[in-house]
């Protein structure tokens, strides 16, 4: 990760002087760097130092990710991201739109430094899918007709796609054979879906300090995510209709009230179970490749996500 | 241009079904298509049909341009673009941010279909410059210290860069030699600057119906453009200070009042003169290449812009 930070920092010089300090603010976020970790782990060769190609690919996915965060935070109207003011709060929404664009453009620029245009092709394809997922979600805010299948499709695009891309790039650039490239990509897809489910759960049940961002933004923004879908399923008919009306009318209750209702119906446990199922499916995908060096690392990463879920508290009696 | 429309339309299928109709709204804007024209003209070989590579490159620059328009209109809070509601008005600002991103990603995806990653590299580099120019302009809204040099730098990035790229792509892909690729790129840069100066003049002196977009957005948004810079230069000291105060305090007067003041000081004529000077510099750049097929076409395009300037009315006695 030190090499990644060094590489990202070295990119600042490629931006026009007028925007360097604001780009630095976007890059300097000491985030979890899950996607770069996926690139490095999927391309792991124990006997060799980390290849420059992997560092470059990790920087590409991280920059795409940071660009989407910058744009997300405008839309969610969030104040905090990783315990700092969001870019939109710091520089205004207008500049945030453009900074996201500049980051996206630069991510592609770095992707275009690979000799084959293939890398650019898969990076831009994944980026478009991320946007499509976000758009689909935004268009369906306050739509009570959203189904579990819609939700899965949306998170598959908006989150899992970049996880998938990270694994694809790592395993491909490290020269693993097509079978493993496919399996690790599918693993990334599962991990990404699990991660988004966890994130959606944390928006209701997290602690603001630990998560580092404003909670309850999905609720207040009218985003219908997995906890709400599960709640809808569990409520008796009359309360269900009430909740649907609430969603349609975009009249979100205070976070605490919604959380209490969810706790009363065992929503936390069920969503946590869905995350676990996704993670187990991920492990199964890698089983035939247990002999390869990346596999134990990827499985370990998945364990970290499981720990994070375990750290959330549903206030439910298990 | 028919081939370009056909190609752009054929790209809709590459977008996720959830966003196709909104992407179509972005693409279907029957704009002036100046940048595609630059690609075609710079790569013109009279004896040959338009090469598919040129159509593809024209689509790339047009999509990048449309993406920036979508994002611009969010920031300017404009209602109209080419006589229709802007994408932000039609779908909301949130979706507009993401649609711009998706268009940008797809532009790169098409650029990545060229065998060499070089095309991706120059496209993403130009895109980042466009963003940097926009950011620089946004950061300096309401800044009375902005100079003519700052203004030239900003329009050089935000507008002229994409004109330059169009000429570079056209002449390169058509196989012209490096000297002409360079000359036509520099020509594109001049034409782009001239175009932006014209556009900034039209924001004060245009007719809404003819221009197809809301007038006076620069003024109300606190953007200090060439007409204002020229006015500052022409005003006597006390009125100058008043105007500086007005800019600093972001207290824009009604468009008519500002226009009247500008007319009284011959601002229109001077800005129109600057546009003309830029266009003449463009012609001079192409003079050594008069024997090549693209040259008369490029010069003709430049004449069209001159006509548009002539169509504006400054209300001044020439």
């Amino acid at each position: 990760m030190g090499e990644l930070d060094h590489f990202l920092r070295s990119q600042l010089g490629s931006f026009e002087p007028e925007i360097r300090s604001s780009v630095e603010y976007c890059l300097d976020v000491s985030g979890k760097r899950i996607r770069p970790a996926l690139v490095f782990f999927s391309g792991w060769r124990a006997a060799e130092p980390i290849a420059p190609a992997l560092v470059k690919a990790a920087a590409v996915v991280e920059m795409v990710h940071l660009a989407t965060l910058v744009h997300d935070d405008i839309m969610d109207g969030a104040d905090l991201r990783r315990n700092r003011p969001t870019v939109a709060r710091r520089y205004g929404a207008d500049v945030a739109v453009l900074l996201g664009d500049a980051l996206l453009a630069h991510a592609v620029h770095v992707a275009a430094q690979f000799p084959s245009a293939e890398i650019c092709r898969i990076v831009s394809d994944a980026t478009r899918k991320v946007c499509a997922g976000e758009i689909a979600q935004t268009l369906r805010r306050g739509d009570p007709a959203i189904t579990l299948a819609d939700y899965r499709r949306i998170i598959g695009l908006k989150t899992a796609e970049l996880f998938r891309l990270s694994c694809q790039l790592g395993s491909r650039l490290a020269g693993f054979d097509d079978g493993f490239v496919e399996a690790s990509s599918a693993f990334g897809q599962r991990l990404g879906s699990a991660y988004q489910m966890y994130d959606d759960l944390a928006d209701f049940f997290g602690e603001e300090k630990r998560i580092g961002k404003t909670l309850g933004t999905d609720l207040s923004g009218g985003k219908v995510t997995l906890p709400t879908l599960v709640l809808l399923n569990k409520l008796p008919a009359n309360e269900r209709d009430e909740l649907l009306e609430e969603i349609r009318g975009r009249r979100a209750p205070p976070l605490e009230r919604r959380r209490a209702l969810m706790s009363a119906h065992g929503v936390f446990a069920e969503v946590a179970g869905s995350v676990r199922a996704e993670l187990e499916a991920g492990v199964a995908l890698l089983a035939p490749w247990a002999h390869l060096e990346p596999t134990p690392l990827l499985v370990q990463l998945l364990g970290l996500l499981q720990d994070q879920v375990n750290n959330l508290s549903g206030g439910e009696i298990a």
Side-chain angles (χ1 to χ4, degrees), chain A:
Chain A
M1 287 298 157
E3 291 172 62
L4 173 67
D5 280 328
H6 181 78
F7 183 87
L8 285 174
R9 216 155 282 283
S10 76
Q11 295 305 302
L12 282 176
S14 307
F15 288 87
E16 285 60 36
E18 289 89 341
I19 67 171
R20 253 170 235 165
S21 71
S22 44
V23 169
E24 194 173 8
Y25 190 84
C26 298
L27 293 180
D28 180 31
V29 278
S30 58
K32 293 179 288 280
R33 309 264 202 231
I34 306 176
R35 294 157 196 81
L38 281 174
V39 175
F40 293 135
F41 288 0
S42 320
W44 192 256
R45 302 274 195 187
E48 296 166 23
I50 291 184
L54 289 185
V55 177
K56 201 176 267 186
V60 169
V61 289
E62 188 67 5
M63 284 191 285
V64 170
H65 171 59
L66 290 173
T68 64
L69 285 189
V70 169
H71 283 177
D72 274 8
D73 286 339
I74 304 171
M75 292 179 277
D76 290 343
D79 296 314
L80 289 180
R81 164 76 65 184
R82 295 166 181 167
N83 293 315
R84 299 186 321 167
T86 61
V87 175
R89 282 278 175 273
R90 175 83 169 70
Y91 293 97
D94 291 357
V95 171
V97 170
L98 295 162
L99 273 174
D101 294 349
L103 271 178
L104 216 52
H106 193 66
V108 171
H109 191 69
V110 174
Q113 288 167 13
F114 289 98
S116 144
E118 174 71 11
I119 304 293
C120 259
R121 204 142 53 222
I122 62 180
V123 168
S124 54
D125 201 47
T127 304
R128 197 200 55 241
K129 285 186 171 138
V130 171
C131 300
E134 294 271 4
I135 294 172
Q137 181 162 65
T138 307
L139 289 174
R140 303 202 67 171
R141 280 182 184 206
D143 178 358
I146 193 166
T147 65
L148 195 59
D150 297 330
Y151 172 78
R152 285 198 165 266
R153 159 94 177 150
I154 286 170
I155 67 171
L157 291 168
K158 80 163 191 162
T159 310
E161 185 57 27
L162 223 47
F163 279 66
R164 192 198 60 67
L165 173 71
S166 302
C167 294
Q168 184 187 13
L169 288 174
S171 54
R172 241 202 79 155
L173 291 169
F176 287 107
D177 70 23
D178 288 356
F180 180 68
V181 173
E182 251 176 62
S184 67
S185 302
F187 166 88
Q189 182 91 31
R190 289 289 186 169
L191 182 64
S193 290
Y195 182 78
Q196 187 57 56
M197 289 175 185
Y198 153 75
D199 200 53
D200 291 343
L201 188 60
D203 195 61
F204 288 97
F205 291 96
E207 284 172 72
E208 209 152 288
K209 266 198 189 148
R210 191 199 288 259
I211 310 280
K213 58 183 182 185
T214 314
L215 294 189
T217 53
D218 291 345
L219 180 65
S220 61
K223 268 193 210 169
V224 178
T225 60
L226 189 54
T228 305
L229 288 169
V230 169
L231 179 62
L232 276 170
N233 250 339
K234 302 225 168 213
L235 287 177
N238 61 330
E239 288 184 57
R240 189 168 192 274
D241 288 346
E242 221 172 280
L243 178 52
L244 287 173
E245 250 329 298
E246 216 177 78
I247 293 170
R248 198 176 294 118
R250 305 286 292 271
R251 295 185 311 269
L255 178 61
E256 295 69 30
R257 235 184 67 205
R258 173 57 53 81
R259 186 156 46 194
L261 186 65
M262 285 179 167
S263 293
H265 287 86
V267 167
F268 180 85
E270 182 157 332
V271 174
S274 296
V275 177
R276 196 174 316 112
E278 210 67 28
L279 294 177
E280 281 164 7
V283 175
L285 283 163
L286 293 183
W289 309 92
H291 58 289
L292 291 186
E293 289 158 303
T295 300
L297 295 172
L298 292 172
V299 171
Q300 200 183 333
L301 199 63
L302 190 145
L304 287 178
L305 178 55
Q306 185 61 59
D307 291 347
Q308 279 195 281
V309 177
N310 298 343
N311 276 335
L312 294 179
S313 158
E316 293 168 13
I317 297 130

